[in-house]
Amino acid sequence: ATSREVASSLRESDARLERRWRAFVANGRDARARGELVRAFARANGVGREARPRLWFAWSGAEAAKRASDTTYDEYLRAAELSDDAAAATTRDAQIEMDLARTFPEHARFAETGDALPALRRVLRATATSAAAGYVQGMNYLGGFLLLVMETEEDAFWTLHVVVNVMFAGYFTEGLKSLRADLCTLDHRFRCVSSEAHAKLESMGLAVKYFTARWLMCALIGCASVPIVLRVWDLIFVDADREPRETIMRSSLAILALQAPWIRAAEDMSSSVECIREAGSTIDNIEAYLQRVSLLREMHFPSKPAPAPAVTPTSRKRTSRYEPPPTPARAAMTPVANTLYASLVSFFSPTPSKTAVSTPRASGLAPKRLWSFEETQATPKRTRVEADESGSHAQSSMFAKSKTPLKSPARSPLLAAR
């Protein structure tokens, strides 16, 4: 589908959502209570446009955090301006200014003359003061997105505060430990739902975790169309008290699963990378996408396989040699004596890959080396016959047609001295 067709389909989906939402709340149902029926409706459809800012503020826990906090938004702003560490504050402000220019430059409100840039600057400075790790790149997209949705600048700040410090805890900390762990989990789950596409990427030295860090860190902001992002954030906030990080991983996995046929059909590495990067912008049926996310909610993924043990390289070319079990006597040997002992035992022992015939032998002697492997079981044992008085040899039934007298097999030189 073309970009115009995708946009038209998304607009129609938004119109259907508004009609369904009005019918859902027509009887005075309180969606703020977030009962199971409200959760089910939001997971399958989303939330109405007019109710979205109020419900997000309540569902995320930002409203409760604002009431419980001893510090107001204005006090966070003053603390950011009067920082004791002037060098750290200068570095923070310089990074924020760099990221402001990258935040939705095509949007009119974030242009140089727009009203959103000063508000975003204040929100990011206050968030850097309230967050344990300070300012981290990626917060600018979250803050800008929330400024466009929430009703006030203060509501955007408190929602961002909860997202960074509670819902996505670990994504915006030094080392990004939780983010890296979730990326590995996403890659493993993609292998489970689409093994062929995963194998295709793996054969090229690629993995989805190399391209989806922003998908998780920014919850698909800037990685998918706006209607898709709004529905995904509806899912995140309606389950904010349960599993917000699982929700964003399922939403990302659903996009990858829908894009798997094109990944399998990609001809080269650049085409495969393009399939992943453009995956979010190719969704034209929001209802089918949300249904896929719901199916992944019910799917049980096996635990990640344990890494294979490291194989110690060996210089021996013969890998089928019989190795006797370790004993205290062998442990006391020098390396040279140990090697000679293993070689002698290997020479006088049957090859492990063949079926050895157990034969009685005198104690203290090395086992006889089999001189025939393939025919040991199939060929009957040959018996030695004695000559009669006339000089003729008795013929067994096996050699009835043979004209040649039977001879016993030559004994091995190794056994001649016995």
Side-chain angles (χ1 to χ4, degrees):
T2 64
S3 58
R4 181 173 297 181
E5 293 173 345
V6 171
S8 176
S9 176
L10 296 179
R11 285 194 298 269
E12 294 175 1
S13 178
D14 284 343
R16 288 194 298 269
L17 171 61
E18 293 299 326
R19 292 194 299 268
R20 292 172 182 173
W21 179 257
R22 286 195 297 268
F24 182 71
V25 298
N27 57 355
R29 180 179 286 109
D30 183 15
R32 288 169 57 91
R34 197 166 39 178
E36 291 302 323
L37 189 60
V38 174
R39 290 180 190 269
F41 182 91
R43 290 168 184 169
N45 302 277
V47 176
R49 183 186 305 124
E50 296 181 357
R52 185 171 282 138
R54 176 174 51 86
L55 293 178
W56 282 13
F57 193 61
W59 288 349
S60 64
E63 186 176 19
K66 178 182 177 180
R67 288 197 305 264
S69 178
D70 297 331
T71 308
T72 64
Y73 175 52
D74 293 333
E75 290 174 347
Y76 277 122
L77 286 177
R78 285 195 295 270
E81 296 174 358
L82 303 175
S83 176
D84 296 334
D85 192 346
T90 302
T91 303
R92 176 203 65 199
D93 293 343
Q95 185 63 58
I96 289 176
E97 292 299 325
M98 290 177 58
D99 291 342
L100 286 176
R102 305 168 183 168
T103 307
F104 311 140
E106 70 283 353
H107 199 284
R109 292 189 60 187
F110 287 93
E112 294 182 359
T113 58
D115 63 325
L117 280 182
L120 180 58
R121 182 183 293 109
R122 292 189 294 269
V123 168
L124 294 180
R125 287 180 178 178
T127 304
T129 306
S130 66
Y135 177 75
V136 180
Q137 284 185 301
M139 292 182 180
N140 56 310
Y141 294 107
L142 296 174
F145 174 73
L146 292 173
L147 279 173
L148 295 175
V149 178
M150 306 306 290
E151 294 176 345
T152 64
E153 177 182 327
E154 186 174 1
D155 289 353
F157 161 74
W158 284 111
T159 307
L160 179 61
H161 171 80
V162 172
V163 168
V164 170
N165 294 284
V166 181
M167 294 173 55
F168 293 167
Y171 279 10
F172 297 92
T173 56
E174 186 177 357
L176 307 177
K177 182 178 180 180
S178 298
L179 177 63
R180 296 202 307 270
D182 286 354
L183 286 172
C184 292
T185 302
L186 178 63
D187 186 80
H188 170 67
R189 292 181 179 181
F190 181 58
R191 181 200 297 267
C192 296
V193 301
S194 183
S195 57
E196 295 182 3
H198 187 279
K200 178 70 173 294
L201 295 175
E202 201 172 40
S203 66
M204 301 178 182
L206 303 176
V208 295
K209 62 182 179 181
Y210 300 154
F211 309 97
T212 53
R214 184 177 174 182
W215 291 23
L216 302 187
M217 198 172 191
C218 299
L220 296 179
I221 296 174
C223 307
S225 58
V226 174
I228 296 293
V229 175
L230 290 172
R231 305 293 183 90
V232 168
W233 278 84
D234 289 340
L235 303 181
I236 293 173
F237 283 130
V238 78
D239 288 327
D241 59 334
R242 295 184 178 180
E243 45 186 17
R245 282 167 49 183
E246 280 289 329
T247 301
I248 184 57
M249 276 198 291
R250 280 194 293 265
S251 303
S252 301
L253 183 60
I255 294 178
L256 292 172
L258 292 173
Q259 196 72 357
W262 284 267
I263 296 177
R264 293 196 301 266
E267 298 179 353
D268 50 22
M269 182 183 296
S270 60
S271 301
S272 301
V273 173
E274 192 69 17
C275 286
I276 299 175
R277 288 179 174 173
E278 301 297 329
S281 60
T282 60
I283 300 176
D284 58 349
N285 191 331
I286 299 182
E287 287 79 5
Y289 167 70
L290 295 178
Q291 184 178 7
R292 178 63 65 93
V293 176
S294 298
L295 292 175
L296 292 175
R297 180 186 300 276
E298 306 299 330
M299 185 175 179
H300 173 71
F301 295 97
S303 58
K304 290 186 289 186
V311 179
T312 304
T314 177
S315 58
R316 298 179 180 179
K317 294 183 179 180
R318 184 179 178 182
T319 59
S320 61
R321 173 180 292 178
Y322 170 75
E323 291 290 344
T327 61
R330 287 197 63 192
M333 293 181 182
T334 62
V336 176
N338 203 344
T339 304
L340 291 176
Y341 175 76
S343 300
L344 290 174
V345 174
S346 174
F347 179 77
F348 286 108
S349 301
T351 304
S353 60
K354 305 298 181 180
T355 303
V357 179
S358 59
T359 56
R361 59 180 185 275
S363 60
L365 298 178
K368 297 181 181 180
R369 187 173 180 84
L370 297 181
W371 52 273
S372 177
F373 297 109
E374 288 76 6
E375 298 178 358
T376 300
Q377 301 292 341
T379 305
K381 186 176 180 180
R382 293 184 286 183
T383 59
R384 185 175 181 179
V385 298
E386 301 292 342
D388 56 12
E389 297 179 356
S390 62
S392 61
H393 295 269
Q395 303 291 333
S396 66
S397 59
M398 182 176 178
F399 300 94
K401 298 181 181 180
S402 175
K403 303 299 183 180
T404 305
L406 295 177
K407 295 182 180 181
S408 61
R411 299 188 66 186
S412 171
L414 296 174
L415 304 177
R418 293 187 181 181

Coordinates of all heavy atoms in Angstrom, one line a residue, residues 331-389:
A331 N 47.2 -39.2 36.5 CA 47.4 -37.9 37.0 C 48.8 -37.6 37.4 O 49.3 -36.5 37.3 CB 46.4 -37.6 38.1
A332 N 49.5 -38.7 37.9 CA 50.9 -38.5 38.4 C 51.9 -38.6 37.3 O 53.1 -38.3 37.5 CB 51.2 -39.6 39.4
M333 N 51.5 -39.0 36.1 CA 52.4 -39.1 34.9 C 52.8 -37.7 34.4 O 52.0 -36.7 34.5 CB 51.7 -39.9 33.8 CG 51.5 -41.4 34.1 SD 50.8 -42.2 32.7 CE 50.6 -43.8 33.3
T334 N 53.9 -37.7 33.7 CA 54.3 -36.5 33.0 C 53.5 -36.4 31.7 O 52.9 -37.4 31.3 CB 55.8 -36.5 32.7 OG1 56.0 -37.7 31.8 CG2 56.6 -36.7 33.9
P335 N 53.4 -35.2 31.1 CA 52.6 -35.1 29.9 C 53.1 -36.1 28.8 O 52.3 -36.6 28.0 CB 52.8 -33.6 29.5 CG 53.1 -32.9 30.8 CD 53.9 -33.9 31.6
V336 N 54.4 -36.3 28.7 CA 54.9 -37.2 27.6 C 54.5 -38.6 27.9 O 54.0 -39.4 27.1 CB 56.4 -37.1 27.5 CG1 57.0 -38.1 26.5 CG2 56.8 -35.7 27.1
A337 N 54.6 -39.0 29.2 CA 54.2 -40.4 29.5 C 52.7 -40.6 29.4 O 52.3 -41.7 29.0 CB 54.7 -40.7 31.0
N338 N 52.0 -39.6 29.7 CA 50.5 -39.7 29.6 C 50.1 -39.9 28.1 O 49.3 -40.7 27.8 CB 49.9 -38.4 30.1 CG 48.5 -38.6 30.5 OD1 47.9 -39.6 30.2 ND2 47.9 -37.7 31.3
T339 N 50.8 -39.1 27.2 CA 50.5 -39.3 25.8 C 50.9 -40.6 25.3 O 50.1 -41.3 24.5 CB 51.3 -38.2 25.0 OG1 50.9 -36.9 25.5 CG2 50.9 -38.2 23.5
L340 N 52.0 -41.2 25.7 CA 52.5 -42.5 25.2 C 51.5 -43.6 25.8 O 51.1 -44.5 25.0 CB 53.9 -42.8 25.7 CG 55.0 -42.0 25.1 CD1 56.3 -42.3 25.7 CD2 55.1 -42.2 23.6
Y341 N 51.1 -43.4 27.0 CA 50.1 -44.4 27.6 C 48.8 -44.4 26.8 O 48.3 -45.4 26.5 CB 49.9 -44.0 29.0 CG 48.9 -44.9 29.7 CD1 49.1 -46.2 30.1 CD2 47.6 -44.4 30.0 CE1 48.2 -47.0 30.7 CE2 46.6 -45.2 30.6 CZ 46.9 -46.5 31.0 OH 46.0 -47.2 31.6
A342 N 48.3 -43.2 26.5 CA 47.0 -43.1 25.7 C 47.2 -43.7 24.4 O 46.3 -44.3 23.8 CB 46.6 -41.6 25.7
S343 N 48.3 -43.5 23.7 CA 48.6 -44.0 22.4 C 48.6 -45.6 22.4 O 48.0 -46.2 21.5 CB 49.9 -43.5 21.8 OG 49.8 -42.1 21.7
L344 N 49.3 -46.1 23.4 CA 49.4 -47.6 23.5 C 48.0 -48.2 23.8 O 47.6 -49.2 23.1 CB 50.3 -48.0 24.6 CG 51.8 -47.7 24.3 CD1 52.7 -48.0 25.5 CD2 52.3 -48.6 23.1
V345 N 47.2 -47.6 24.7 CA 45.9 -48.1 25.0 C 45.0 -48.0 23.7 O 44.2 -48.9 23.4 CB 45.3 -47.4 26.2 CG1 43.9 -47.9 26.4 CG2 46.1 -47.7 27.4
S346 N 45.1 -46.9 23.0 CA 44.3 -46.7 21.8 C 44.7 -47.8 20.7 O 43.8 -48.2 20.0 CB 44.5 -45.3 21.3 OG 43.8 -45.1 20.0
F347 N 45.9 -48.1 20.6 CA 46.4 -49.1 19.6 C 45.8 -50.5 19.9 O 45.4 -51.2 19.0 CB 47.9 -49.1 19.5 CG 48.4 -50.1 18.5 CD1 48.4 -49.8 17.1 CD2 48.9 -51.3 18.9 CE1 48.8 -50.7 16.2 CE2 49.4 -52.2 17.9 CZ 49.3 -51.9 16.6
F348 N 45.9 -50.9 21.2 CA 45.5 -52.2 21.5 C 44.0 -52.3 21.8 O 43.5 -53.4 22.3 CB 46.3 -52.7 22.7 CG 47.7 -53.1 22.4 CD1 48.7 -52.2 22.8 CD2 48.0 -54.2 21.6 CE1 50.0 -52.6 22.4 CE2 49.3 -54.5 21.3 CZ 50.3 -53.7 21.7
S349 N 43.2 -51.2 21.7 CA 41.8 -51.2 22.0 C 41.0 -51.1 20.7 O 41.4 -50.6 19.7 CB 41.5 -50.1 22.9 OG 42.2 -50.1 24.1
P350 N 39.8 -51.7 20.7 CA 38.9 -51.6 19.5 C 38.5 -50.2 19.3 O 38.4 -49.4 20.3 CB 37.7 -52.5 19.9 CG 37.7 -52.6 21.3 CD 39.2 -52.5 21.8
T351 N 38.2 -49.8 18.1 CA 37.7 -48.5 17.8 C 36.4 -48.2 18.4 O 35.5 -49.1 18.2 CB 37.6 -48.3 16.2 OG1 38.9 -48.6 15.7 CG2 37.2 -46.9 15.9
P352 N 36.2 -47.2 19.1 CA 34.9 -47.0 19.8 C 33.7 -46.9 18.9 O 32.6 -47.2 19.3 CB 35.1 -45.6 20.6 CG 36.6 -45.4 20.6 CD 37.1 -46.1 19.4
S353 N 33.8 -46.4 17.7 CA 32.7 -46.3 16.8 C 32.2 -47.6 16.3 O 31.1 -47.6 15.7 CB 33.1 -45.3 15.6 OG 34.1 -45.9 14.9
K354 N 32.9 -48.7 16.4 CA 32.5 -50.0 15.9 C 32.0 -50.8 17.1 O 32.4 -50.6 18.3 CB 33.6 -50.7 15.2 CG 34.2 -49.9 14.0 CD 33.2 -49.6 13.0 CE 33.8 -48.8 11.8 NZ 32.8 -48.5 10.8
T355 N 31.3 -51.9 16.8 CA 30.7 -52.7 17.9 C 31.8 -53.8 18.2 O 32.2 -54.6 17.4 CB 29.5 -53.4 17.4 OG1 28.5 -52.4 17.1 CG2 28.9 -54.3 18.5
A356 N 32.4 -53.6 19.4 CA 33.4 -54.6 19.8 C 32.8 -55.9 20.3 O 31.8 -55.9 20.9 CB 34.3 -53.9 20.9
V357 N 33.5 -57.0 20.0 CA 33.1 -58.3 20.4 C 33.8 -58.7 21.6 O 35.0 -58.7 21.7 CB 33.3 -59.3 19.3 CG1 32.9 -60.7 19.7 CG2 32.6 -58.9 18.0
S358 N 33.1 -58.9 22.7 CA 33.7 -59.2 23.9 C 34.2 -60.7 23.9 O 33.4 -61.6 23.7 CB 32.7 -59.1 25.1 OG 31.6 -59.9 24.9
T359 N 35.5 -60.9 24.1 CA 36.1 -62.2 24.1 C 36.9 -62.4 25.4 O 37.5 -61.5 25.9 CB 37.1 -62.3 22.9 OG1 38.0 -61.3 23.0 CG2 36.4 -62.2 21.5
P360 N 36.8 -63.6 25.9 CA 37.5 -63.9 27.1 C 39.0 -63.8 26.9 O 39.5 -64.2 25.9 CB 37.1 -65.3 27.5 CG 36.6 -65.9 26.3 CD 36.1 -64.8 25.4
R361 N 39.7 -63.2 27.8 CA 41.2 -63.1 27.7 C 41.8 -63.3 29.1 O 41.2 -63.1 30.1 CB 41.6 -61.8 27.1 CG 41.1 -60.6 27.9 CD 41.6 -59.3 27.3 NE 41.3 -58.2 28.1 CZ 40.1 -57.5 28.1 NH1 39.2 -57.9 27.2 NH2 39.9 -56.5 28.8
A362 N 43.1 -63.7 29.1 CA 43.8 -63.8 30.3 C 44.0 -62.5 31.0 O 44.2 -61.5 30.4 CB 45.1 -64.5 30.1
S363 N 43.9 -62.5 32.3 CA 44.1 -61.3 33.0 C 45.5 -60.8 32.9 O 46.4 -61.6 32.9 CB 43.7 -61.5 34.5 OG 44.6 -62.5 35.1
G364 N 45.7 -59.5 32.9 CA 47.0 -58.9 32.8 C 47.5 -58.7 31.4 O 48.5 -58.1 31.2
L365 N 46.7 -59.2 30.3 CA 47.1 -59.0 28.9 C 46.3 -58.0 28.3 O 45.1 -57.8 28.6 CB 47.0 -60.3 28.2 CG 47.9 -61.5 28.7 CD1 47.6 -62.7 27.8 CD2 49.4 -61.1 28.6
A366 N 46.9 -57.3 27.3 CA 46.1 -56.2 26.6 C 45.1 -56.9 25.7 O 45.3 -58.0 25.2 CB 47.1 -55.4 25.8
P367 N 44.0 -56.3 25.5 CA 43.0 -56.9 24.6 C 43.5 -57.0 23.2 O 44.2 -56.2 22.7 CB 41.8 -55.9 24.7 CG 42.4 -54.6 25.1 CD 43.6 -55.0 26.0
K368 N 43.0 -58.1 22.5 CA 43.4 -58.3 21.1 C 42.8 -57.2 20.2 O 41.6 -56.8 20.4 CB 42.9 -59.7 20.6 CG 43.6 -60.8 21.4 CD 43.1 -62.1 20.8 CE 43.8 -63.3 21.6 NZ 43.3 -64.6 21.0
R369 N 43.5 -56.8 19.2 CA 43.0 -55.8 18.3 C 42.2 -56.6 17.2 O 42.7 -57.6 16.6 CB 44.1 -55.1 17.6 CG 43.7 -53.9 16.7 CD 44.8 -53.1 16.3 NE 44.4 -52.0 15.4 CZ 44.0 -50.8 15.9 NH1 44.0 -50.6 17.1 NH2 43.7 -49.9 15.0
L370 N 41.0 -56.2 17.0 CA 40.1 -56.8 16.0 C 40.7 -56.6 14.6 O 41.1 -55.5 14.2 CB 38.7 -56.3 16.1 CG 38.0 -56.5 17.4 CD1 36.6 -55.9 17.3 CD2 37.9 -58.0 17.7
W371 N 40.8 -57.7 13.9 CA 41.3 -57.6 12.5 C 40.2 -57.6 11.4 O 40.5 -57.5 10.3 CB 42.3 -58.8 12.2 CG 41.7 -60.1 12.5 CD1 41.7 -60.8 13.7 CD2 41.0 -61.0 11.6 NE1 41.1 -62.0 13.6 CE2 40.6 -62.1 12.3 CE3 40.7 -60.9 10.2 CZ2 40.0 -63.2 11.7 CZ3 40.1 -62.0 9.6 CH2 39.7 -63.1 10.4
S372 N 39.0 -57.7 11.8 CA 37.8 -57.5 10.9 C 36.7 -56.9 11.7 O 36.3 -57.4 12.7 CB 37.4 -58.9 10.4 OG 36.3 -58.8 9.5
F373 N 36.2 -55.8 11.1 CA 35.1 -55.1 11.8 C 33.7 -55.3 11.2 O 32.8 -55.7 11.8 CB 35.4 -53.6 11.8 CG 36.6 -53.2 12.5 CD1 37.7 -52.7 11.8 CD2 36.6 -53.2 13.9 CE1 38.8 -52.4 12.5 CE2 37.8 -52.9 14.6 CZ 38.9 -52.4 13.9
E374 N 33.6 -55.1 9.8 CA 32.3 -55.1 9.2 C 31.7 -56.5 9.2 O 30.5 -56.7 9.2 CB 32.4 -54.6 7.8 CG 32.6 -53.1 7.7 CD 34.0 -52.7 8.0 OE1 34.9 -53.5 8.2 OE2 34.2 -51.4 8.1
E375 N 32.6 -57.5 9.1 CA 32.1 -58.9 8.9 C 32.1 -59.7 10.2 O 31.9 -60.9 10.2 CB 32.9 -59.6 7.9 CG 32.8 -59.0 6.5 CD 33.7 -59.8 5.5 OE1 34.4 -60.7 5.8 OE2 33.7 -59.4 4.3
T376 N 32.4 -59.0 11.3 CA 32.5 -59.7 12.6 C 31.2 -60.4 13.0 O 31.1 -61.5 13.4 CB 32.9 -58.8 13.7 OG1 34.2 -58.2 13.3 CG2 33.0 -59.5 15.0
Q377 N 30.1 -59.6 12.8 CA 28.8 -60.2 13.1 C 28.1 -61.0 12.0 O 27.4 -62.0 12.3 CB 27.8 -59.0 13.5 CG 28.3 -58.1 14.6 CD 28.3 -58.9 15.9 OE1 27.6 -59.9 16.1 NE2 29.1 -58.4 16.9
A378 N 28.4 -60.7 10.8 CA 27.7 -61.3 9.7 C 28.3 -62.6 9.3 O 27.7 -63.6 8.8 CB 27.6 -60.4 8.4
T379 N 29.7 -62.8 9.4 CA 30.4 -64.0 8.9 C 30.5 -65.0 10.0 O 30.9 -64.6 11.1 CB 31.8 -63.6 8.4 OG1 31.6 -62.6 7.4 CG2 32.5 -64.8 7.8
P380 N 30.1 -66.2 9.8 CA 30.2 -67.3 10.8 C 31.7 -67.5 11.2 O 32.6 -67.3 10.3 CB 29.6 -68.5 10.2 CG 28.7 -68.0 9.1 CD 29.4 -66.8 8.6
K381 N 32.0 -67.9 12.4 CA 33.3 -68.1 12.8 C 33.9 -69.3 12.1 O 33.3 -70.4 12.0 CB 33.4 -68.3 14.3 CG 34.8 -68.4 14.9 CD 34.7 -68.5 16.4 CE 36.1 -68.6 17.0 NZ 36.1 -68.8 18.5
R382 N 35.1 -69.1 11.5 CA 35.8 -70.2 10.8 C 36.5 -71.1 11.8 O 37.1 -70.7 12.7 CB 36.8 -69.7 9.8 CG 36.1 -68.9 8.7 CD 37.0 -68.4 7.6 NE 37.8 -67.3 8.1 CZ 38.7 -66.7 7.4 NH1 39.0 -67.0 6.2 NH2 39.4 -65.7 7.9
T383 N 36.3 -72.4 11.6 CA 36.9 -73.4 12.5 C 38.1 -74.1 11.8 O 38.0 -74.4 10.6 CB 35.9 -74.4 13.0 OG1 35.3 -75.1 11.8 CG2 34.8 -73.7 13.7
R384 N 39.0 -74.5 12.6 CA 40.2 -75.2 12.0 C 39.9 -76.7 11.9 O 39.3 -77.3 12.9 CB 41.4 -75.0 12.9 CG 42.7 -75.6 12.4 CD 43.8 -75.2 13.3 NE 45.1 -75.8 12.8 CZ 46.2 -75.6 13.4 NH1 46.3 -74.9 14.5 NH2 47.3 -76.1 12.9
V385 N 40.2 -77.3 10.8 CA 39.9 -78.7 10.6 C 41.2 -79.5 10.5 O 42.2 -78.9 10.2 CB 39.0 -78.9 9.3 CG1 37.7 -78.2 9.4 CG2 39.8 -78.4 8.1
E386 N 41.1 -80.8 10.9 CA 42.3 -81.6 10.9 C 42.2 -82.5 9.6 O 41.2 -82.9 9.1 CB 42.3 -82.5 12.1 CG 42.3 -81.7 13.4 CD 43.6 -81.0 13.6 OE1 44.6 -81.3 12.9 OE2 43.6 -80.0 14.4
A387 N 43.4 -82.8 9.1 CA 43.5 -83.7 7.9 C 43.3 -85.1 8.3 O 43.8 -85.6 9.4 CB 44.9 -83.5 7.2
D388 N 42.7 -85.9 7.4 CA 42.5 -87.3 7.7 C 43.7 -88.1 7.2 O 44.7 -87.5 6.7 CB 41.2 -87.8 7.1 CG 41.2 -87.5 5.6 OD1 42.2 -87.2 5.0 OD2 40.1 -87.7 5.0
E389 N 43.6 -89.4 7.3 CA 44.8 -90.3 7.0 C 45.1 -90.2 5.5 O 46.2 -90.3 5.1 CB 44.5 -91.7 7.4 CG 44.3 -91.9 8.9 CD 44.0 -93.3 9.2 OE1 43.9 -94.1 8.3 OE2 43.9 -93.6 10.4

